[in-house]
Amino acid sequence: MLGAGLILLSVFYLGFLSLKIKFPSVILYILFGIVLADYLAENEILHIASEVGIVLLFFLLGMEFSVSRLGGIAKRAWPSGLLDVVLSLGISMMIAVGFGMDLFSAFIVGGVAYATSSSITAKLLDDHSRMANTETEFILAILIFEDVVAPIVVAILIGLGSGASFAVSDLMTLMAKIAGMAFLAILLGKIVFKKFDYLWEKIEDEDFKMALLVGIALAFGGLALLLGLSEVLGAFLAGMMLAEIRNLHRVEQTVVPIRDLMLPTFFIYFGTTIELGNGIPMPFLLMILLVWSIVSKVLVGVVGGRWYGLSKKVSLRAGLSLCARGEFSVVIAATAVGTVKVMAGMYIVAAAFIGMVLFEQAPKLANKVYGKTKPKKKNLKVPGT
């Protein structure tokens, strides 16, 4: 109980400090977790709170995407998603092989360098009021694509790391689970939750409404985990089930306070999972990976954004906003051992920090490269002329 109170007081202080010094609060939360890792790493309350926070974040994100809208995005985003796999995972793996790593270790490095942090990026989009921006749909499409690919990478690594083979049938099983989750979400959205508005009006107690919504989010996220998938993917699909209800804004406002309370604990817990070790192993590989990880994501934005139909300026802004690495990188790094694991931990911290800075500066950098968008002049008619 004392620990939970101290964590919440720390969240308040770090959030207040971030406003005072104009520094991203997410970075402060992660650093706080790293510093107190020895004391907080086994804290079950922190772990559960962090899971609830990240699930509710993506539950609310899913509410922004109806089935029809998500289908249209998927058709436009898959070429950019494949480009992301080639550049961020494939080339990173080749760089590691070039430094003398075996294929298994190089695959781990490629996996760590691949996935953009969904939690950090989504949090920054919300904090900086960029959810309605032109590039946000493309950014979220890439994040969802990565959330489908990353569990496959993790499953392959676990299979290889345990000495077992990862057959094509295992890959097909994993894809069938993802398809099954998506089908279940669509089915429930079209049949069960079609009458959600009626149920919502019947419930007068706000506490019951809160319990209902959080229960839906956690249940679907938990089902995804049970199937060996990401709880983030499950929570997003749960939100998608409710995307077409009429009282969407009122539903969102019920969940937002709990998300805002729990989400900082995710970043604190994230910090406790990072292993830094002593010294910097393979410093040149680390430096090259950091540079390439930025270049690769910017290229995904610049090239993939144009394929998606964005302007050059908006595509650059999207690419600069995709550079932070996070939770999936930590999960993949956990399959490594020795110096590879320590280097991966250092890479994640540095990439998260650099990515958040680039996200904040993305609009300014895009304006410097392409200039500010000039407002269109309106031809005003003078009365009587």
Side-chain angles (χ1 to χ4, degrees):
M1 186 68 71
L2 176 62
L6 291 175
I7 288 170
L8 289 175
L9 288 172
S10 300
V11 167
F12 162 75
Y13 175 74
L14 292 172
F16 179 75
L17 181 63
S18 71
L19 293 174
K20 280 288 185 183
I21 64 176
K22 295 182 179 179
F23 192 75
S25 60
V26 173
I27 297 177
L28 294 180
Y29 296 144
I30 292 172
L31 292 175
F32 180 75
I34 293 171
V35 171
L36 296 181
D38 292 339
Y39 304 98
L40 298 176
E42 303 300 324
N43 191 305
E44 281 299 315
I45 295 175
L46 178 63
H47 185 203
I48 292 170
S50 70
E51 289 290 307
V52 173
I54 193 64
V55 162
L56 293 183
L57 174 66
F58 278 86
F59 178 59
L60 287 169
L61 275 178
M63 289 186 189
E64 303 295 328
F65 295 87
S66 63
V67 174
S68 56
R69 185 185 177 195
L70 193 63
I73 291 170
K75 289 178 183 178
R76 295 162 59 198
W78 72 265
S80 306
L82 290 179
L83 176 67
D84 188 20
V85 173
V86 172
L87 294 178
S88 299
L89 196 155
I91 304 287
S92 297
M93 184 177 173
M94 290 171 61
I95 291 171
V97 170
F99 273 81
M101 281 191 178
D102 59 90
L103 286 176
F104 178 68
S105 297
F107 190 39
I108 291 175
V109 170
V112 169
Y114 167 59
T116 299
S117 172
S118 301
S119 55
I120 292 174
T121 306
K123 178 73 164 58
L124 291 174
L125 284 169
D126 191 42
D127 285 352
H128 292 80
S129 302
R130 285 176 56 184
M131 281 295 184
N133 280 22
T134 312
E135 74 274 12
T136 300
E137 185 177 278
F138 170 73
I139 291 172
L140 292 176
I142 293 296
L143 294 181
I144 295 163
F145 189 95
E146 290 180 348
D147 283 344
V148 172
V149 173
I152 298 172
V153 174
V154 173
I156 293 171
L157 285 169
I158 291 173
L160 294 175
S162 63
S165 60
F166 189 84
V168 175
S169 59
D170 297 319
L171 178 61
M172 297 302 292
T173 301
L174 201 61
M175 296 304 294
K177 289 178 182 178
I178 295 170
M181 284 284 295
F183 178 75
L184 178 61
I186 293 169
L187 193 66
L188 290 174
K190 294 292 185 183
I191 299 174
V192 177
F193 291 103
K194 193 174 183 180
K195 298 181 179 180
F196 191 84
D197 286 301
Y198 175 77
L199 175 63
W200 189 258
E201 293 298 332
K202 285 290 183 181
I203 302 173
E204 295 181 359
D205 194 310
E206 289 297 322
D207 293 339
F208 291 159
K209 291 179 179 180
M210 198 177 292
L212 173 64
L213 293 171
V214 174
I216 291 170
L218 295 180
F220 228 72
L223 178 60
L225 280 177
L226 189 65
L227 294 173
L229 305 173
S230 163
E231 72 273 30
V232 162
L233 181 62
F236 184 89
L237 291 172
M240 191 182 73
M241 293 190 300
L242 302 177
E244 295 184 19
I245 63 175
R246 290 194 304 273
N247 294 317
L248 186 60
H249 178 70
R250 289 170 59 191
V251 171
E252 289 174 333
Q253 291 308 307
T254 303
V255 180
V256 165
I258 313 174
R259 180 205 64 182
D260 291 345
L261 177 65
M262 296 294 185
L263 191 56
T265 63
F266 172 81
F267 299 105
I268 294 173
Y269 183 77
F270 171 59
T272 67
T273 62
I274 294 170
E275 296 184 26
L276 297 180
N278 297 315
I280 304 176
M282 298 175 278
F284 292 112
L285 174 58
L286 178 60
M287 184 174 64
I288 290 172
L289 276 176
L290 282 170
V291 172
W292 175 247
S293 68
I294 295 167
V295 172
S296 63
K297 293 299 182 183
V298 171
L299 284 174
V300 169
V302 170
V303 178
R306 294 293 288 160
W307 291 346
Y308 195 78
L310 303 179
S311 67
K312 291 181 180 179
K313 180 179 176 179
V314 174
S315 297
L316 176 60
R317 198 163 65 210
L320 291 168
S321 302
L322 284 167
C323 296
R325 303 307 195 273
E327 57 281 357
F328 270 123
S329 297
V330 173
V331 173
I332 292 169
T335 62
V337 293
T339 56
V340 175
K341 190 169 189 175
V342 175
M343 188 205 72
M346 292 183 173
Y347 167 85
I348 293 165
V349 174
F353 178 82
I354 294 169
M356 283 184 268
V357 172
L358 286 174
F359 185 100
E360 288 207 332
Q361 298 301 316
K364 292 180 182 178
L365 291 172
N367 285 337
K368 282 186 179 180
V369 174
Y370 292 106
K372 290 186 178 181
T373 304
K374 295 180 180 178
K376 294 180 180 180
K377 293 182 179 179
K378 295 181 179 179
N379 296 319
L380 299 175
K381 292 184 178 181
V382 180
T385 61

